[in-house]
C-alpha cells in the first residue's frame, strides 16, 4: 500500500471507529468536509499543516498517517510542498512520542495550529538555521542548537535562508494520546 492510500484508509477507519460523520470530523479538526472526503477517497493529498490539524482533532500521533506498518521510512511530501516530513521513530506507544526529520525549502514557512493540551516539542537544527515563532516572537535556532516548547500553543517554522534547512522534531504527547 502506498502512503497516499494508507493515509486515506487510516483517516476513514479512525472516523468510522468513532462513528463520526464527515461533518463531525470537520468540526473536530477544522478541516473542510469537502477536503476530508477527498482525502478519504484518495483524491487529494493534504499539506503537512492540514494533516497536523487532522491528527490533533482525532487525538492521534501524526506518524500514524505517514508510516504504513509494512514500510520502514516514508517521507511525506504532498505535491512537492516546501516542507518534507520523514519519520525517524514513528509513534512509540510506551514512551508517547514521534520523532521526525523535517526539511524546509528556502523561503518556506509552516504555521502550526496548537496541538492538544500537554504536548511538548523538542526541535534541533541539524543543518542550517531554523527560525521559530513562539509566543508571537521569532527566534533563530542555529545548527546544533535546540528548543523545547509547549506544542499546545500556536507556533511556526521558517527558513529565511537560501539553503534547505534540516531539523529534527521530537513531539512528546500526554499519556492519554490514542495509538489508533
Amino acid at each position: 500500500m502506498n502512503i497516499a492510500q494508507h493515509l486515506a484508509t487510516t483517516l476513514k477507519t479512525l472516523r468510522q471507529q468513532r462513528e463520526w460523520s464527515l461533518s463531525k470530523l470537520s468540526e473536530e479538526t477544522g478541516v473542510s468536509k469537502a477536503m476530508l472526503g477527498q482525502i478519504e477517497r484518495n483524491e487529494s493529498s493534504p499539506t503537512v499543516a492540514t494533516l497536523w490539524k487532522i491528527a490533533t482533532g482525532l487525538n492521534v500521533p501524526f506518524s500514524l498517517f505517514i508510516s504504513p506498518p509494512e514500510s520502514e521510512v516514508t517521507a511525506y511530501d504532498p505535491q512537492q510542498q516546501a516542507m518534507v516530513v520523514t519519520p525517524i521513530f514513528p509513534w512509540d506507544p510506551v514512551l508517547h512520542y514521534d520523532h521526525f526529520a523535517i526539511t524546509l525549502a528556502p523561503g518556506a514557512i509552516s504555521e502550526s495550529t496548537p496541538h492538544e493540551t500537554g504536548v511538548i516539542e523538542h526541535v534541533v537544527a541539524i543543518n542550517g538555521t531554523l527560525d521559530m515563532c513562539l509566543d508571537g516572537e521569532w527566534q533563530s535556532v542555529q545548527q546544533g542548537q535546540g528548543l523545547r516548547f509547549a506544542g499546545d500553543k500556536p507556533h511556526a517554522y521558517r527558513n529565511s535562508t537560501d539553503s534547505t534547512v534540516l531539523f529534527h522534531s521530537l513531539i512528546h504527547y500526554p499519556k492519554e494520546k490514542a495509538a489508533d
Side-chain angles (χ1 to χ4, degrees):
M1 178 183 311
N2 68 32
I3 189 161
Q5 185 59 53
H6 170 75
L7 194 158
T9 301
T10 300
L11 179 59
K12 187 172 187 176
T13 299
L14 290 169
R15 180 179 62 80
Q16 289 175 339
Q17 285 173 345
R18 288 164 173 76
E19 299 180 354
W20 287 0
S21 64
L22 282 172
S23 295
K24 172 70 173 169
L25 182 60
S26 178
E27 288 174 26
E28 295 296 323
T29 62
V31 176
S32 76
K33 181 179 168 182
M35 174 57 78
L36 292 167
Q38 289 173 359
I39 296 167
E40 281 192 5
R41 292 186 304 273
N42 196 13
E43 295 172 353
S44 179
S45 295
T47 63
V48 171
T50 298
L51 194 53
W52 274 115
K53 284 180 161 183
I54 294 168
T56 299
L58 286 167
N59 192 32
V60 297
F62 180 85
S63 64
L64 188 66
F65 289 107
I66 64 170
S67 298
E70 67 279 0
S71 73
E72 290 184 17
V73 174
T74 303
Y76 187 67
D77 184 11
Q79 304 161 352
Q80 302 300 309
Q81 296 294 319
M83 183 180 209
V84 179
V85 179
T86 305
I88 295 175
F89 298 107
W91 169 248
D92 184 309
V94 175
L95 299 175
H96 297 269
Y97 77 90
D98 280 323
H99 188 175
F100 303 105
I102 301 173
T103 59
L104 279 180
I109 185 167
S110 179
E111 296 178 351
S112 182
T113 55
H115 306 299
E116 64 269 12
T117 302
V119 169
I120 302 293
E121 292 194 38
H122 305 79
V123 172
V124 177
I126 303 299
N127 188 13
T129 300
L130 173 67
D131 295 330
M132 290 286 313
C133 185
L134 304 170
D135 297 323
E137 299 287 328
W138 285 98
Q139 55 188 298
S140 292
V141 183
Q142 302 296 323
Q143 183 172 322
Q145 294 180 329
L147 280 177
R148 179 178 144 173
F149 59 94
D152 55 7
K153 297 179 181 175
H155 51 283
Y157 311 92
R158 179 178 68 193
N159 179 358
S160 56
T161 72
D162 294 331
S163 301
T164 299
V165 171
L166 169 64
F167 65 99
H168 284 191
S169 176
L170 185 139
I171 303 172
H172 187 259
Y173 300 97
K175 295 285 185 198
E176 298 79 32
K177 172 59 94 185
D180 52 16

